[in-house]
Amino acid sequence: MSARDDILAGVRRALREADTSPVHVSRGYRDTRPADVHLFVERVEDYRAVVVRCALDEVEARISDALPRDARAVVPDGLPWRVPGSVADDGLSALDLDDVDAVVTGATVGIAETGTIVLSHGPGEGRRALTLVPDLHVCVVRADQVVADVPDAFAVLDPDRPTTWVSGPSATSDIELDRVEGVHGPRRLHVIVAG
Amino acid sequence: MSATFVGMPAFPVAARTALADTQLRANLAHATGTIRAKRAKVVAEVDNWEELRLAAAGIKDNTLLHLEEHLVRLEESLTRQGAVVHWARDAAEACTIVADVAKSHGVDEVVKVKSMATGEIELNEALAKEGIAAWETDLAELIVQLGDDLPSHILVPAIHRNRAEIREIFLSHMAAAGRPAPDDLTDEPARLADAARLHLREKFLRAKVGVSGANFAVADSGTLVVVESEGNGRMCLTLPEVLVTVVGIEKIVPTWADLDVFLQLLPRSSTGERMNPYTSTWSGVTPGDGPQEVHVVLLDNGRTRALADDVGRQALRCIRCSACLNVCPVYERTGGHAYGSVYPGPIGAILNPLLKGVGVDAQTDSLPYASSLCGACFEACPVRIDIPSVLVDLRAQVVDSHRGDRFPKAEALAMKATALAFGSGGRLGAAEKASGLVGRLLGGGGRRRLPGGRKLLGRLPGPGAAWTDARDLPTPPAESFRAWWKRTGGRG
Ligand code: SF4
């Protein structure tokens, strides 16, 4: 018998005598609270990320404020804002990405309750490596992309897309539980909340 | 990299050694206390926490009770998304599958993200035998691996090491594994983390094959989920050309939307954060983004055995958050190594015997006794696993499995002593209840409190006095474990 058939037979055997009547699962936790953009800003700041709010037509100015002078910033296809010193992602290798200073992207969802940004790596967000290797991630979240909580985020997101949930800069507490920013991912996260 | 748990002495012996190690005890008390306080704060923020726990337990139960159907669906979804699905009955099969994938690409190294399942099957050791180096990329795992050491806590595996020791390990062992630590390395955590960043980045950028576990596998969409802090998971999942993920068959949730419960419960229970820094989800292969060859190994290794246990089945709901470790008075004093497994603490005390079966080895048989049945683990558990009840049931199974021993070995004798005291499952239950009562009476006089709010009992009268001489004992009754300890003199 193949391992597959063996395991499935084992599962069947294990449950032969079990009472398999369904357990009721209440979904009352999926309430309909409105999204609170102020809370989102506060919660992102709690992770020691830099957060600025601006009007939609100020995004480009805020992006250039966020980037150090002469920084080379990689940008994904489909980013609706102009970025100074931008490097297009024309199939850069991981080593190439290690050489750029920053990355500028949009996002798919912001979660107010947890201060989380979710990327689904479509146009304007780029493939996953883009927002991973450079040391500074500048991320623009539109106010109308902010949802109240985790269940609302899952309702919006498409499981067929890869997603990356970012809550503050990379961190570890592995050494005597001291929080240290930036082990492997971007050490600095700069969030621009627009609109 | 030869450290393994095989041949560990049974819990009481290992625990006695660990108790003598004051550094370990101090580090652990600090760690568990800190995480406990953080967890309490972020859990209190959620007004429907109990509702979430109930939903999580219900979703997991429904899935486990129809596991065959969900497994078949997961396989279909993964295949549709471009992943290659493998099945492994046991650790050896799983290791062979991973090694074969690595060998088919002619590599002699893989990068790994911390995973309980790959620890359980001792994948690194198996790959080493095939001439393949498995580089751990989580900071704590790196410390453990470079120090040729064993992890002691699910969440913070290097919690038994202090910063000075970590500096020593980096200075003396990094060079042999790749980029050396800078000569002027200090013991400041930020400097140590930076040394690890540089050491590992070199490996990430050249690695062809990545290996991971997964916190969840979604049957409907074939989505796998990795929850992490440092970004090393993202590196392993994104940069290599080939990705192999080892997933226990109990990790399934039916739908994408079901994750909305677990991604609320897990970070708060685990690191005491509203959300962990990074969570990655992926469904097979995404053209032009990340690994273009994706393998998934569905692992049994005792899970169907656990599934057959009517009382113990609920242990398969576990999402490995480690909240039960941080509230456990026994764990706090002995540390993780004493459990002789990658699964320490209260969950380890039930999961190991459930996966391996009782009556096979003394180490595993001793684990259900490594508890005071105080119930703190159940209270903390985000998926409401009633660990005390499973422990009581497993103790009865251990006693039963040794009833027929004709030529008692030392450990069997110890079991016999327990068997004498708790002649049957029923009487065992009664004894537990009685001891609980005694504990509550004693507890009335306690004056101090542990950080978690449990009362401390300064000194036990009578036979328990020797044990409490050197250490504070929490009030919740430790009778079963203590009695077992006293009776066997730690010669389990
Ligand atoms: S048993 Fe519960 S508390 Fe313990 S690790 Fe598993 S999910 Fe967490």
Side-chain angles (χ1 to χ4, degrees):
Chain A
M1 228 183 347
S2 71
R4 175 188 190 274
D5 295 345
D6 237 9
I7 293 170
L8 291 178
V11 167
R12 226 171 309 149
R13 229 176 5 254
L15 296 168
R16 209 165 28 207
E17 320 248 288
D19 172 8
T20 57
S21 41
V23 184
H24 173 70
V25 177
S26 158
R27 304 289 180 165
Y29 64 86
R30 289 182 188 157
D31 50 17
T32 48
R33 267 176 295 171
D36 177 344
V37 180
H38 289 286
L39 182 65
F40 175 69
V41 169
E42 236 175 77
R43 294 272 154 108
V44 177
E45 279 172 341
D46 274 357
Y47 297 119
R48 298 196 231 173
V50 177
V51 188
V52 293
R53 283 203 72 170
C54 69
L56 278 170
D57 59 5
E58 294 169 337
V59 170
E60 289 185 0
R62 294 294 87 79
I63 290 175
S64 60
D65 293 349
L67 295 169
R69 185 187 293 275
D70 298 328
R72 291 172 68 238
V74 63
V75 294
D77 277 351
L79 191 77
W81 305 285
R82 256 174 312 139
V83 175
S86 70
V87 178
D89 175 29
D90 46 12
L92 300 173
S93 71
L95 274 169
D96 297 335
L97 286 173
D98 200 29
D99 261 356
V100 304
D101 307 297
V103 55
V104 181
T105 71
T108 303
V109 178
I111 306 173
E113 189 179 302
T114 60
T116 304
I117 291 154
V118 190
L119 308 179
S120 58
H121 304 285
E125 296 173 31
R127 63 198 166 97
R128 286 171 282 171
L130 243 53
T131 36
L132 175 60
V133 181
D135 212 13
L136 167 65
H137 181 191
V138 179
C139 186
V140 183
V141 183
R142 290 195 323 269
D144 64 7
Q145 291 178 314
V146 176
V147 300
D149 53 19
V150 172
D152 290 348
F154 274 100
V156 175
L157 293 163
D158 173 2
D160 289 342
R161 302 279 329 150
T163 69
T164 305
W165 301 52
V166 178
S167 306
S170 139
T172 183
S173 301
D174 279 344
I175 302 166
E176 297 180 17
L177 294 175
D178 264 11
R179 186 182 159 107
V180 179
E181 258 92 46
V183 194
H184 300 299
R187 282 185 277 201
R188 284 173 303 146
L189 176 66
H190 190 113
V191 181
I192 298 170
V193 183
Chain B
M1 317 290 164
S2 58
T4 92
F5 288 110
V6 174
M8 282 285 292
F11 184 82
V13 178
R16 197 169 46 184
T17 316
L19 281 168
D21 185 341
T22 42
Q23 170 81 54
L24 172 68
R25 286 179 63 202
N27 289 2
L28 270 173
H30 173 58
T32 54
T34 307
I35 302 175
R36 217 160 39 218
K38 283 176 69 186
R39 176 191 166 276
K41 193 163 154 253
V42 294
V43 166
E45 262 179 30
V46 181
D47 46 21
N48 56 356
W49 186 254
E50 193 53 29
E51 195 182 356
L52 291 173
R53 286 178 83 207
L54 283 162
I59 292 167
K60 282 279 185 180
D61 279 351
N62 282 335
T63 314
L64 290 168
L65 289 170
H66 299 93
L67 192 58
E68 183 182 8
E69 169 193 327
H70 292 292
L71 278 168
V72 170
R73 208 145 39 90
L74 176 66
E75 182 187 39
E76 278 166 17
S77 310
L78 283 167
T79 310
R80 186 179 69 236
Q81 305 272 21
V84 182
V85 179
H86 309 259
W87 300 74
R89 277 172 280 229
D90 54 28
E93 281 187 359
C95 291
T96 305
I97 294 165
V98 181
D100 285 349
V101 171
K103 282 191 273 184
S104 77
H105 290 274
V107 300
D108 59 6
E109 62 174 8
V110 299
V111 286
K112 270 194 71 203
V113 51
K114 179 171 96 178
S115 134
M116 304 301 301
T118 54
E120 173 193 326
I121 62 174
E122 299 187 347
L123 178 63
N124 295 4
E125 292 76 14
L127 290 177
K129 283 198 196 111
E130 304 273 352
I132 300 161
W135 301 116
E136 290 296 353
T137 58
D138 182 279
L139 178 53
E141 294 287 337
L142 177 73
I143 296 166
V144 168
Q145 191 176 48
L146 289 176
D148 199 9
D149 203 352
L150 293 168
S152 56
H153 190 289
I154 293 182
L155 190 65
V156 274
I159 199 61
H160 57 292
R161 295 288 196 185
N162 63 28
R163 59 183 75 188
E165 290 175 297
I166 295 169
R167 173 177 173 271
E168 272 314 302
I169 291 170
F170 281 9
L171 282 173
S172 40
H173 297 294
M174 259 186 185
R179 184 182 171 128
D183 289 336
D184 60 348
L185 185 66
T186 67
D187 63 5
E188 239 178 291
R191 290 291 314 278
L192 294 170
D194 197 48
R197 177 183 173 98
L198 292 170
H199 177 81
L200 288 168
R201 186 151 287 220
E202 178 193 72
K203 294 198 159 60
F204 287 132
L205 294 178
R206 70 166 188 236
K208 291 234 164 2
V209 178
V211 176
S212 82
N215 295 86
F216 306 99
V218 181
D220 261 3
S221 55
T223 309
L224 301 180
V225 182
V226 165
V227 174
E228 55 142 349
S229 293
E230 297 174 6
N232 60 309
R234 293 176 67 191
M235 292 275 177
C236 290
L237 301 172
T238 310
L239 297 185
E241 293 158 21
V242 181
L243 173 63
V244 192
T245 305
V246 181
V247 189
I249 55 172
E250 85 287 15
K251 294 280 171 214
I252 299 195
V253 296
T255 68
W256 170 253
D258 286 324
L259 290 172
D260 70 1
V261 187
F262 296 100
L263 281 198
Q264 294 186 74
L265 290 169
L266 180 54
R268 289 182 201 258
S269 301
S270 180
T271 45
E273 295 169 295
R274 295 187 184 110
M275 193 60 94
N276 49 291
Y278 298 131
T279 296
S280 300
T281 77
W282 73 102
S283 307
V285 175
T286 308
D289 186 349
Q292 296 299 297
E293 181 179 326
V294 170
H295 297 262
V296 179
V297 183
L298 298 175
L299 174 72
D300 182 343
N301 206 33
R303 284 156 179 80
T304 47
R305 178 203 296 277
L307 189 67
D309 187 311
D310 252 337
V311 181
R313 179 179 304 134
Q314 56 184 310
L316 295 177
R317 290 182 204 147
C318 174
I319 55 173
R320 314 278 190 261
C321 71
S322 74
C324 57
L325 276 62
N326 299 323
V327 297
C328 177
V330 176
Y331 175 81
E332 184 167 294
R333 278 159 184 74
T334 60
H337 290 158
Y339 294 81
S341 158
V342 288
Y343 303 114
I347 181 61
I350 60 172
L351 197 58
N352 291 300
L354 284 165
L355 293 175
K356 295 178 193 161
V358 297
V360 180
D361 68 87
Q363 161 66 17
T364 307
D365 282 358
S366 68
L367 290 179
Y369 296 88
S371 164
S372 65
L373 301 178
C374 73
C377 46
F378 170 65
E379 302 279 311
C381 178
V383 288
R384 300 183 98 255
I385 299 171
D386 186 354
I387 295 176
S389 295
V390 181
L391 283 167
V392 169
D393 189 66
L394 284 169
R395 286 180 190 182
Q397 292 185 30
V398 169
V399 170
D400 282 347
S401 74
H402 285 274
R403 218 181 288 281
D405 293 359
R406 283 183 55 209
F407 302 104
K409 295 178 296 219
E411 59 266 34
L413 269 175
M415 293 301 160
K416 277 238 146 75
T418 320
L420 273 175
F422 305 128
S424 74
R427 272 158 63 197
L428 171 64
E432 294 302 343
K433 282 201 194 78
S435 69
L437 184 63
V438 173
R440 276 194 290 281
L441 290 173
L442 286 170
R447 286 185 308 276
R448 289 171 294 154
R449 280 179 183 275
L450 285 173
R454 292 193 308 278
K455 276 187 184 170
L456 277 179
L457 185 62
R459 215 163 208 290
L460 269 184
W467 214 67
T468 45
D469 254 2
R471 55 193 65 90
D472 291 325
L473 195 66
T475 306
E479 272 64 34
S480 308
F481 177 51
R482 194 163 51 244
W484 149 253
W485 187 301
K486 288 297 293 179
R487 219 180 345 272
T488 63
R491 286 183 303 276

